[in-house]
Amino acid sequence: MIKKGITRQIVLHYFFVVFLALLLVEFIFMLAVQRYYYESIYNTINQRITATNDYKEPLSLVSGAEDGNNLSYLLVNLQLDNTELQILDLNGRVLASSTAFESERAVIQTSDITQAMNGSIGRWVGRQPNTGEQIMAVSHKLDLGGENTYIIRYLTSLEDVNSRLLVMGLLAILVGIAVLAIVLIISIGMANSIVKPINNITAVSEQMARGRLDVRVKGNYKHELGELASTLNFMAQEIVRSNQIKDDFISSISHELRTPLTSIKGWSETLDSGGYDPDETRIGMSIISKETERLIGLVEEMLDFSKLQQNQMKLVKGTVSIREIVQETMLNVWAKAEQKQIHLKLDADETKAYNVFGDGNRLKQVFLNIVDNAIKFSHENSWIYLSVKEEDGKVIAAVQDTGIGISEEHLSKVRDRFFQVNHQNGGTGLGLAITQQLVELHEGTISMQSELGSGTTVTVMLPALAEEDDLMKHDDQQAGPDIGTT
Ligand code: ADP
């Protein structure tokens, strides 16, 4: 017995369909064979009846003879092998018979007699009342002139044909059983070819669910099962990768937090011990302040990320000039760039504002992160080119550096959360993930082109604000509630 499941379902399904098809085919086949046999018997008798026309004249000659002679003559001349010939009068009374099978003078009223009386060749298949044997009777009217009109009736037993049909039927059933057995074997094999891989994949996924992410689905499965297996393997690989990324994040964030905290602790202890001149005290206080700011920056970055993850980032939107945002960003990072002797150059039409509808502070955050990365990953004494233009209803702002660049392998991952090419560089790996989500919240896109060793270009595209929109949105902004950034 096949246990419940896909195998049983497939096997039963196939079995049922093939069984029904076989039943139908065998039924039609048996019907056709039976018809063929019965028709050939009928045709043989029919031919004999048609041939009686040739005898009509010689028969007519003897029609004036003694009745008994006449009937014997007819019986002898119209006889057909393997049949009984009866001669009946027009009332269906048996006048003569080639065998003593049917009692003479009996009246026969089967449908073939009625059809024969009407002038056609009558056929009847039924059971002989006295023997119960199945027979076929074929009758025809024979008009020999005068009062000599008879019905000639041929009777033949169908038992022989029926037993042959029975043998054929049994053979057909045997063939059917053999076909069903083959179907059963094939369908079990087919079901197993689906179920076994599924069982294997289920076993592997159970292990994965228990935390064994090193196991993989083995075996070269085809089609959908192959896809399922490779998707599961890919999923495990991605979980391992993201776990690794999280571990790296924890280690780099711990490092990021420890450095300023150590510095703050060191300076506060030093200052606490007293005895320092005002200049030294000022330097210490400024370092404590800077490191605290750095810590606040880190915590804010993580808070922003968590808000974006939970869709809780609220934007205070209004008309924002991207040219102004980029210029402000350049001013903000100027000192940092100076330290590495990096020169910043902006290419934008001074007469245009390149307005978009967005949150000025968040858009500034976007460009600060991109330009900050550009400086961080640029060589000393190099150039960073910034540009703002408008094309096809979009404001396109690009930041191009000639720094270390990113390999093709890493380029697709740098916008993933926590991802960093090199963890020694500091940072959290969240900047670009936050940047991308902020740009998307402004219905914009961000793209990156980079070549390892040559530099990187980050392009931000935002929907441009047409001048009339500009005023309308501005009015809305004044009328609307101040949502505030949370
Ligand atoms: P973080 O700067 O805190 O590491 P980001 O998400 O901003 O995080 O950047 C992720 C990684 O992408 C960086 O660690 C760096 O490896 C790579 N990256 C980003 N911008 C650049 C750039 N302009 N040039 C080279 N590498 C870059």
Side-chain angles (χ1 to χ4, degrees):
M1 187 69 187
I2 306 164
K3 66 174 180 176
K4 264 191 181 176
I6 296 179
T7 310
R8 187 147 115 183
Q9 244 177 327
I10 292 177
V11 171
L12 282 182
H13 198 88
Y14 269 90
F15 195 82
F16 187 66
V17 170
V18 175
F19 176 73
L20 276 187
L22 275 174
L23 207 68
L24 196 74
V25 167
E26 293 203 352
F27 178 73
I28 293 171
F29 169 73
M30 288 312 295
L31 213 68
V33 172
Q34 191 207 41
R35 259 187 86 88
Y36 170 75
Y37 274 109
Y38 284 18
E39 279 305 307
S40 23
I41 293 170
Y42 172 74
N43 285 339
T44 314
I45 300 173
N46 202 1
Q47 272 169 16
R48 187 74 188 90
I49 288 171
T50 319
T52 54
N53 288 332
D54 303 340
Y55 287 93
K56 264 192 181 169
E57 230 168 273
L59 288 171
S60 306
L61 289 175
V62 291
S63 62
E66 260 297 285
D67 204 31
N69 288 342
N70 190 7
L71 293 179
S72 313
Y73 183 80
L74 283 177
L75 277 180
V76 172
N77 283 288
L78 299 179
Q79 185 58 273
L80 181 66
D81 288 346
N82 301 322
T83 61
E84 177 192 344
L85 174 61
Q86 293 175 340
I87 297 172
L88 295 86
D89 66 13
L90 290 181
N91 295 320
R93 189 180 302 279
V94 180
L95 301 175
S97 172
S98 62
T99 65
F101 205 66
E102 193 74 59
S103 62
E104 279 193 22
R105 319 241 33 103
V107 176
I108 298 167
Q109 286 171 325
T110 48
S111 61
D112 59 309
I113 304 290
T114 329
Q115 287 163 23
M117 281 176 188
N118 292 335
S120 53
I121 297 175
R123 168 169 35 177
W124 174 76
V125 174
R127 296 210 172 267
Q128 184 81 289
N130 38 6
T131 59
E133 188 184 2
Q134 200 176 24
I135 55 163
M136 182 190 283
V138 183
S139 307
H140 183 57
K141 192 155 76 176
L142 184 66
D143 188 358
L144 298 175
E147 286 184 0
N148 298 322
T149 305
Y150 307 104
I151 287 171
I152 52 167
R153 189 174 190 240
Y154 291 95
L155 295 169
T156 183
S157 168
L158 294 176
E159 292 298 310
D160 202 27
V161 168
N162 282 351
S163 58
R164 253 189 266 171
L165 283 174
L166 187 72
V167 172
M168 270 194 188
L170 287 173
L171 259 172
I173 288 172
L174 275 180
V175 170
I177 290 172
V179 170
L180 281 178
I182 292 170
V183 166
L184 199 73
I185 293 166
I186 290 177
S187 58
I188 289 176
M190 215 170 88
N192 279 344
S193 75
I194 298 171
V195 172
K196 273 194 184 154
I198 290 181
N199 286 343
N200 184 14
I201 292 170
T202 311
V204 171
S205 52
E206 267 170 14
Q207 288 193 52
M208 282 177 181
R210 287 204 194 95
R212 282 209 52 201
L213 292 166
D214 56 327
V215 288
R216 293 286 178 272
V217 181
K218 291 190 185 96
N220 193 12
Y221 302 134
K222 285 188 185 129
H223 313 302
E224 283 86 348
L225 287 171
E227 268 172 47
L228 179 66
S230 56
T231 309
L232 195 72
N233 287 344
F234 179 65
M235 186 195 79
Q237 188 184 317
E238 282 301 291
I239 293 175
V240 170
R241 194 174 77 90
S242 73
N243 280 350
Q244 179 62 46
I245 287 173
K246 266 190 196 157
D247 292 348
D248 290 347
F249 169 72
I250 291 169
S251 94
S252 63
I253 198 73
S254 317
H255 183 76
E256 283 292 291
L257 292 171
R258 210 178 61 186
T259 317
L261 285 173
T262 315
S263 167
I264 290 169
K265 188 171 181 273
W267 272 104
S268 50
E269 277 172 5
T270 312
L271 293 175
D272 191 39
S273 62
Y276 284 93
D277 65 41
D279 278 350
E280 260 176 324
T281 309
R282 215 173 300 119
I283 292 171
M285 290 308 282
S286 118
I287 288 173
I288 289 174
S289 162
K290 255 194 204 154
E291 295 298 340
T292 314
E293 228 168 77
R294 207 169 125 190
L295 284 175
I296 292 171
L298 271 174
V299 172
E300 268 177 1
E301 196 170 51
M302 285 191 279
L303 277 177
D304 281 348
F305 177 72
S306 131
K307 270 187 224 157
L308 282 164
Q309 286 301 98
Q310 292 164 32
N311 280 331
Q312 282 178 353
M313 175 70 80
K314 293 207 174 85
L315 301 178
V316 186
K317 283 190 176 179
T319 304
V320 178
S321 160
I322 294 297
R323 183 180 47 74
E324 281 174 18
I325 293 272
V326 171
Q327 281 172 334
E328 276 173 33
T329 309
M330 286 167 74
L331 284 176
N332 284 136
V333 298
W334 204 264
K336 212 175 192 178
E338 275 288 285
Q339 275 175 12
K340 285 178 87 175
Q341 285 154 34
I342 291 171
H343 314 284
L344 302 168
K345 189 176 182 305
L346 172 64
D347 177 14
D349 187 342
E350 278 292 324
T351 60
K352 283 188 174 173
Y354 302 99
N355 281 341
V356 298
F357 185 61
D359 183 328
N361 286 329
R362 292 302 176 188
L363 287 173
K364 175 97 171 281
Q365 191 181 345
V366 165
F367 287 102
L368 265 175
N369 181 54
I370 297 170
V371 180
D372 193 60
N373 275 344
I375 295 171
K376 198 156 119 188
F377 299 106
S378 278
H379 307 293
E380 287 202 354
N381 211 350
S382 62
W383 281 88
I384 293 174
Y385 301 97
L386 299 102
S387 66
V388 185
K389 58 181 178 179
E390 193 175 328
E391 247 174 47
D392 302 329
K394 289 197 168 70
V395 172
I396 304 168
V399 178
Q400 183 191 0
D401 66 58
T402 50
I404 61 168
I406 307 163
S407 69
E408 212 179 309
E409 180 205 347
H410 292 140
L411 193 58
S412 59
K413 295 176 189 156
V414 286
R415 277 172 281 170
D416 290 354
R417 54 203 181 143
F418 311 130
F419 183 85
Q420 292 180 298
V421 175
N422 185 351
H423 300 284
Q424 313 307 320
N425 286 333
T428 56
L430 286 175
L432 283 176
I434 294 173
T435 300
Q436 163 134 326
Q437 291 192 53
L438 285 177
V439 171
E440 281 166 4
L441 278 181
H442 284 85
E443 280 141 42
T445 55
I446 181 165
S447 61
M448 288 178 84
Q449 283 88 40
S450 191
E451 206 176 306
L452 197 62
S454 300
T456 306
T457 304
V458 184
T459 312
V460 176
M461 278 200 211
L462 294 162
L465 201 60
E467 266 174 38
E468 54 272 28
D469 285 351
D470 216 330
L471 289 170
M472 251 170 54
K473 296 248 167 85
H474 194 67
D475 287 349
D476 285 355
Q477 177 67 21
Q478 283 183 341
D482 193 350
I483 309 164
T485 312
T486 53

